[in-house]
Structures are given as C-alpha cells and as structure tokens.
Amino acid sequence: MKILLILGLLLCYSFVSSSGDTTIHTNNWAVLVCTSRFWFNYRHMANTLSLYRTVKRLGIPDERIILMLADDMACNARNEYPAQVFNNENHKLNLYGDNVEVDYRGYEVTVENFLRVLTGRHENAVPRSKRLLSDEGSHILLYMTGHGGDEFLKFQDAEELQSHDLADAVKQMKEKRRFKELMIMVDTCQAATLFNQLQSPGVLAIGSSLKGENSYSHHLDSDIGVSVVDRFTYYTLAFFERLNIYDNASLNSLFRSYDPRLLMSTAYYRTDLYQPHLVELWRPFILIQLTKPSQVKSPIVRAIPRCHSINFPSTMQTSQMMS
Amino acid sequence: MASLLRSLILLLIVQSFLFAIAFGSNEVEEFSEALLLKPLPDRKVLAHFHFENRAPPSNSHGRHHHLFPKAISQLVQKFRVKEMELSFTQGRWNHEHWGGFDPLSSMNAKPVGVELWAVFDVPQSQVDTSWKNLTHALSGLFCASINFLESSTSYAAPTWGFGPNSDKLRYGSLPREAVCTENLTPWLKLLPCRDKDGISALMNRPSVYRGFYHSQRLHLSTVESGQEGLASGIVLEQTLTVVLQPETTSVESNMQPSWSISSLFGRKVVGRCVLAKSSNVYLQLEGLLGHELKNVDTEIEAHELWKNAEFELSLKPERVLRESSSFLFIFDIDKSSDSEPFDLGLTWKLPSKWSCQQAPLHASRFLMGSGNERGAIAILLKATESQEKLSGRDLTNGHCTIKANIFQIFPWYIKVYYHSLQIFVDQQQTTDSEVLKKINVSPSTDKVSSGMMEMMLELPCEVKSVAISIEYDKGFLHIDEYPPDANQGFDIPSALISFPNHHASLDFQEELSKSPLLSSFKEKSLVRSYTEVLLVPLTTPDFSMPYNVITITCTIFALYFGSLLNVLRRRIGEEERFLKSQGKKTGGRLKQLLSRITAKIRGRPNEEQSSSESPAAQSSVLSSKLIFKIILVAGAAAAWQYFSTDK
C-alpha cells in the first residue's frame, strides 16, 4: 500500500514538473530600456532605438514592445536633424521613423516603474499599453543600456538598479509565470556583474563587458557632435541586420560574432540557467537552437583574459567614450 | 404568381424603407479634412491641418463605428467626459507677427508642452477620480507623461477665468513635456485614413518638427441627443498647426519667399482620403492692399486674383471667397492622384508687407528679483496698434473699457503672497478696486495642491500699458521630489489672458454644411493669448554631498586606524632579526646536526645555549622601544584630541 502511494506521488510529481516543461511558446515580448538622460548620452538612446527597430522589423508589434526612453533626443533643441535619430555617421537609417511609440519617457523611467513593468504590479489606473502582459509561454527580450558599474545600473543619474533588485524581479516573474524564457541583454560598463545574483531557470543573460572592463562607444558623429552608438550594440545590430524574419540563425552564431578586439571588452554570456536540453525555437524574433553546453562556450569569447592595458590598434576614431 | 409578385414588391418597399432609416440625415458618421495655408508677414508660412470626425447619437450598447475612432468613444463613455481638449505644443506663438485676433490664433496658439482640460458629467465627488483615470488613459494613448497630472499638486479647478464655466472642469499643464513623433503617431492613428492617404500623408515628420511652432490639438465635445436611451453624439476635432520657414533662393531680402507644398513638406498630395466627406486645401491671404475689388463678379475675381502683379499661384483655385481684408482661395484635390499630384505653390513677384490683426493688448510675463529665497512675477499688458480699431466696441456706463481675464496656476513651491498684488496702469499705481473688478484666489497647500488665481480687469480703452506684479517665496522640496535634472529649474505654467468682450470670427459667407473648417472660423471664439512659461531656479541640495562626506570620513578613519595599528603592532627591524636567525640556523645546520649526533653520543649540553642568549638581549631592546612607542601613540592621541576640540 505504502509503496503504491509513494509511486503514485512520484508519478504526480513527475507529471507536474514535466507539464511545466511542455508549455508552448505563445508570444514574444520586448522590454527596451534606455536609462540615461542628457544630450551627451545620445548613443544610449540610439542603442535602444536600434534594438527597437530590429525587433519591430523581425516581427514583434508595438503592442508587445515596452519602450522606455529617459530623454528626448529626436526633438531635442540640440538636434540638428529634428525627429531623426541616427546610429551611424552615414545617416542612412533614421531610427525614429514615422511610427514610434514610446511607453515610458522622460521622468517616468525610474527603477520603480521598471520593476513594476517586470513584475506586473501596477496601480489600477495604468493603461494596458504600459503593462507587460506576458503569460507563461512568452519569450521576453529585456535590453538595458546606460551607465553602469559593479552590480548596478544607473537610472537617470539619480538612482541605481542593483543586481539583486533585478534578480528579485526576475524571481517574482518566474513565480508568477510571466515568462517561459527571458533573454537579458545589457550594454553598460561591467555589465556582466549585473547578472551575479540571477538564479531563476529559463534566463539567458548577455553582457557587453566583464567586471573591471568598460564598454566603449563606437564612433563619433561630427555632425551631431556626440558619439552615436556603442560598440556592443553596433556589432549586435550588424549581426541582426543580416537576418530577416525567416532566417534560422542561432544564439551561438551571435556569440561567435562578437570579437573582443573590436568590442574593446569581453562579451559575456550566461547560459547555466538556460536548460540546454530544450531545443527552443524563438520564432519570429530569431530562431535559436541551443546546442550542448560544451559547444556553446566558444574559445574565442572565453579564453581572452580581462586586460585593461592592452593597446588595441585603433583604426577607429580616437575619442572613445565609456558607458 | 401574383402573390409572389406582391410579396416581392412588399419586400422591396420594406427594404427601401429600412435603407431610408439607416441612411437618414443624422445617423451617419462623417469625416472631413482640410488644409489651410497662410503666408505670414515675417517670411514664414502657416500650415493648419484640420480633421473633424462626427459620431451621431446612437444606442450606447452595440455602438459600431466605421469612421470614428473607438478609443475616443470608449474614453468618453468610460469617464463620462463632456468636453475635453488636449494639446501638445512646442515653440512660442509670435503674436506680433502672426496675429492674435483671428480664430486660428485664438484656438491654436497654445502654451508650451502639454495642456489638458476636461469637463465631466459625473457627481462632484467623483470628478477628481475621473480626472485621474483620464490622465492615465491619455498617457497610454498618446505616449506622453500626462499621468503626472493625476496628483492634486498639478491640476486646478478654474471657475470663470478659464473658458467653459463649470464646476466640473479640471485644468492641468505640463510645460516641460517633450513633443515628438511618438505623440503624433497615435494622434494620426485616430484618423480613418491614418497618415497613408489624403492630406495627412503630407505630414513629413522632420518637416513638422523643424517648424518654429508646432501644435497638435485634440478637442472633443459631446452633443446631447435629447432622447432617453441614446448615448450622446461626439464631435472630435483634431488640428495640427505648423509654422514653417521655406528655404529662400532669392537674393533680395525684402521679398517674401516663394514656396510650394513640396518645398515645405517634401511631399505632394496624391489623392484625397476616400472616407472623407469633404477634402479641401485653402490658401488665405491677408491684408492685400493692392486689390480693392468690391463689387466684382466671382469669375473675374478668381481669374484676376490668383495671377497678378504681386503674386502668382501655381494652380487655379476652384473658388475665391472674401472677407473684409482677407481672401480665401479654395482648391479641390479630388482629381489629384499619383500621376497628377497636387502641388500648390505661391510665387511672390513684388515685395509685399502686411500685418496681421492683433489682440487689443499684448501680454508678456517675466520674473523679477534674484536669489533663492523670494521673487516676484510680473505680467505686462501693452497696447497694440489694433487697440484703436477695437476700442469702439465696449461701452460700460458710458466709458469705453476693455475687459481682460487673467488666469494663472502656481505650483505649491511658489508660495505666492496674494496680498502683495499690485496693478500699475500707465505706470501709475492704482488702488485695486479701480481696475480689478473680480478676483478668485485658491491658495496653495504645501505638497497638496497648487495655487490658482483668476482676475477680471476693466481697463480704459486708451490704456497704454498695464503691469501686474505679485510676490512669492520659494519653497523647499523633499530630496525625493527633485527631478533628475533639478539644476535646470522649475516651471510655472503659462498664464492665460482672455478678452471676454472680444470675439474673433471670420465669416466668408459660405454655407455652413460644406466645410467644417470654415464653420469653425465662423463661430465666435474668445480672443485669448497665453504668456510665456517661467523658469524658476529653486534651492537644490548638493546631491553628491552624502557620497563626498562618506568618502572623506572613511578616508580619515582609515588613515587614523591604519597608522595606529601600524604603530602598535609593527616591530621595527623584525624582518632583519628573523632573517638573521634564519641565517644562523641555515649556516650551522650541518654543524648542528653533527653537534646533535655527537651530543646524542656524548650527552646534551649544546642546544640550549644559543637560544638562551637572544631573549635576554631582546628584552632590553624591546622595553626601550616599547616605551618609545607608547610615548609616540600618546602624543598622537593628545594632538588629535587637541585639534579636534579646538575650533
């Protein structure tokens, strides 16, 4: 009798746990956050808008994108090209376009609002377009850019988001079943430290630099007068611009495309929380086929040690700004 | 067979009857669009887009829309809004050059940033909650931070000074709100043709936002159906007013620049919005002195006016209307298409000068005083050249007077002293009761509500200037309440000056039903002008102060304790002694081994000798060094005490 009971319990348990694994992928969401204000942080805005454009182009509609911009660059009085934001000095691509919808802007981009968006704990009056209405089958891309440091990210020069705040929010999201897979991409100085406290399963994290390293801007646009894009985002975009909605690229190829010499920092990614046996297709954003962990750790990305003092041959412009 | 025929005829009759009911005169939604172009005297061009959407009264349940935006009708139904206006503006309306007395400037010259006012149809106790929910809904709808108006510190409840006289009116303004493409995108999505077709396809974003002044406005009002069971009809009016400067290639500086729609917007009109009932382009020219054609045929007028010695239009207008000194050319864009785009252009041949009629008094506002403790706000009303023209209209008690209403909101940290109100007429101080006929003051409460002041002044018609000044104290904000860029300053929203006895209207003698733009011009609208937004620097704390204090204090502590520990625990020469003893040991190891072996064989006399020598020698050295150290530490502590207590 007892054995039967135990067997029954085990069966139920395995049923329950496996049912969690078999939730189907329902939709894709993107939360894109730019945390810096002031004109000299134009590049952070351009980073976020570049990702916004890419994500929209590859199929996620405005209703499922939460865009948070801490300042207005496009119609800023200092902008020579009103209603236009560029991420390249050739000015070929206007990131602002004609149909941009910013959900949180200006003074609304605060740590409190960011955490409320992630955890879904809003006041009653907050409208739907400002809520992350994801469910347990959602794949969410969370992209943050700005100034950061060891285990923190600076919001608007006034407050900080710490790594344990982020880990706590992600944990709440997992408890409330607000995502199936979460990909966090951070482009700041010492970005990898922001993921130190993450423990929830199903989370993939990509940072632009390791502890002690800075993330640099790519180039300066002498027309606009400030740097227009950061290196990590520039190369991420270069990867995505080669794709269209039907392509079958993998996360592995994204990681391999990062060259630490060009990035001037070591791109870090954390896959230990991401179950490798799940062969998940992240349609229509990008199709990811994650192979076994041993193959994921590409030697180029991991083996190069953290060095501040190496003189990289700079074929780019000399003035580099730190994120 | 006959019965079949009869039933067929009956069916047809019933069908036509139903059609007649369905397409009755007032049961259909209507949408119309119009574009008004007007050259301005200071070498700029005004472009005014006007879209009007009407939803007739219908059953509140099962309300189907095919032209009217559902988001707006849901907003009206949910929050029981009777009338609402929301405007997003950047730039300052230049009253001297662009006019202040025509319906366009009265309705479309708005204060900088976001301005929202709404009249509700709910019980008085629920108005504030409805306002709060409305601000949140609008912030989600228009991608702006309108939700900052929810707190009672940001809005006010004007009574008679503002416009609509209602106690369920709430007004709020955010002067620092940025206006960009993300506000225009959802605004355009409310139109049936979006920005894909018709006149709205002209709105090239960089051209619009390059303008000297751009203001998008949304005004909705409900029309009572008068019948039970029917929800009220809604009239939605959306306008976008842009003042652009065309690029000039002409060398002469006194000639007005020639322009065309493609040079202003980079695009041409390639067809009308097929869902629009009427779609027109108007060109208004004011103050043409060279043409005093009074009793001339419309046809000859049209032929002569659009091509003459002074200017030339690139396309023939369909009709020409006239109203005192301004001419209106009406163009039809029905026939335009991709192959034949509509591109209206105006070429000036002779230098022309004209002026736009201004409001009777020109209003400006500025700050007085310096420092971070107190200051004063002054409003200056100056007579304009049109004052004489308008002065003949008002007669009160036999004297000619101009009535002016002034409405201002002050944030709570600008603590205004209402008793310090002073009015100077023609640079002479007047006692308040001479000119100030009515005043309504709602003082602010710290961190709870903002202050509001409404004044009605009755000024003599020949007045040259009026100055109104009021003093205030600057308040302190809690550290959490400072915005991230606190050192920029804080804004006092624009004041509104309106002239209740003066109404601006343009009557082109055109039938009402044809064009909503012209019918809106025909309505008498109150002449109003907004003043500048004031930027007040408040005392801001040094936000990096806690960090600096902690750093300095910790450094001093580290130095003190570090040196103290060093002094107490570090023995000077410890290393050399250790090395020496090591050296002794290593040098004599073999010997020691040998000696040990021999000692074992013989006995054990050797070992203790070498070790017993050093402690005795060491103890004496130690004691003197110890005393020296103690004296040093005591001296340092005494010096520290002395210097820390000594001020």
Side-chain angles (χ1 to χ4, degrees), chain A residues 2-109:
Chain A
K2 275 190 185 173
I3 297 168
L4 277 172
L5 203 70
I6 293 166
L7 273 172
L9 277 169
L10 275 170
L11 260 171
C12 289
Y13 178 79
S14 61
F15 204 64
V16 163
S17 62
S18 63
S19 67
D21 290 30
T22 55
T23 47
I24 51 165
H25 170 208
T26 48
N27 51 31
N28 292 322
W29 281 83
V31 178
L32 310 170
V33 182
C34 166
T35 59
S36 308
R37 63 166 40 233
F38 303 126
W39 176 246
F40 51 82
N41 290 319
Y42 182 101
R43 60 190 189 284
H44 296 144
M45 202 75 54
N47 288 348
T48 317
L49 287 169
S50 316
L51 253 290
Y52 174 74
R53 183 189 169 270
T54 305
V55 149
K56 252 175 105 160
R57 188 175 65 86
L58 291 173
I60 303 185
D62 266 319
E63 293 88 58
R64 290 207 281 273
I65 302 178
I66 305 243
L67 180 61
M68 299 172 77
L69 297 180
D71 202 357
D72 173 44
M73 298 297 167
C75 293
N76 197 316
R78 288 180 161 100
N79 192 1
E80 240 191 41
Y81 302 91
Q84 289 160 288
V85 174
F86 303 112
N87 67 351
N88 202 318
E89 60 175 352
N90 58 22
H91 294 184
K92 270 196 200 150
L93 193 58
N94 172 17
L95 298 171
Y96 227 58
D98 279 350
N99 287 318
V100 59
E101 288 186 16
V102 183
D103 299 297
Y104 288 83
R105 65 173 197 174
Y107 297 138
E108 283 182 290
V109 178

Side-chain angles (χ1 to χ4, degrees), chain B residues 382-399:
Chain B
K382 260 194 176 160
T384 58
E385 62 208 22
S386 24
Q387 195 194 7
E388 296 98 55
K389 290 182 215 164
L390 304 167
S391 58
R393 292 195 197 174
D394 316 310
L395 286 162
T396 321
N397 300 332
H399 304 289

Side-chain angles (χ1 to χ4, degrees), chain A residues 147-163:
Chain A
H147 289 282
D150 195 0
E151 304 220 10
F152 71 89
L153 185 78
K154 204 160 69 149
F155 265 68
Q156 293 207 51
D157 223 4
E159 45 183 7
E160 285 115 32
L161 173 77
Q162 306 212 318
S163 58

Side-chain angles (χ1 to χ4, degrees), chain B residues 11 177 381 391 471 477 526 570:
Chain B
L11 200 70
E177 190 68 16
L381 298 169
S391 58
E471 292 174 17
L477 287 148
L526 198 61
R570 186 183 285 177

Side-chain angles (χ1 to χ4, degrees), chain B residues 353-373:
Chain B
K353 261 194 179 175
W354 68 97
S355 64
C356 299
Q357 192 177 26
Q358 297 183 46
L361 298 169
H362 173 73
S364 66
R365 192 172 67 153
F366 48 90
L367 285 171
M368 300 198 299
S370 64
N372 278 340
E373 260 189 80

Side-chain angles (χ1 to χ4, degrees), chain B residues 100-159:
Chain B
F101 202 77
D102 52 296
L104 210 133
S105 61
S106 310
M107 292 198 291
N108 292 297
K110 289 282 165 194
V112 168
V114 166
E115 192 208 40
L116 172 68
W117 62 262
V119 181
F120 295 93
D121 195 13
V122 293
Q124 186 67 13
S125 53
Q126 293 174 19
V127 177
D128 286 327
T129 327
S130 301
W131 168 262
K132 177 183 168 178
N133 293 334
L134 178 69
T135 53
H136 275 278
L138 286 174
S139 97
L141 188 57
F142 287 104
C143 298
S145 319
I146 302 175
N147 50 320
F148 286 157
L149 288 175
E150 63 164 349
S151 68
S152 53
T153 51
S154 346
Y155 67 85
T159 51

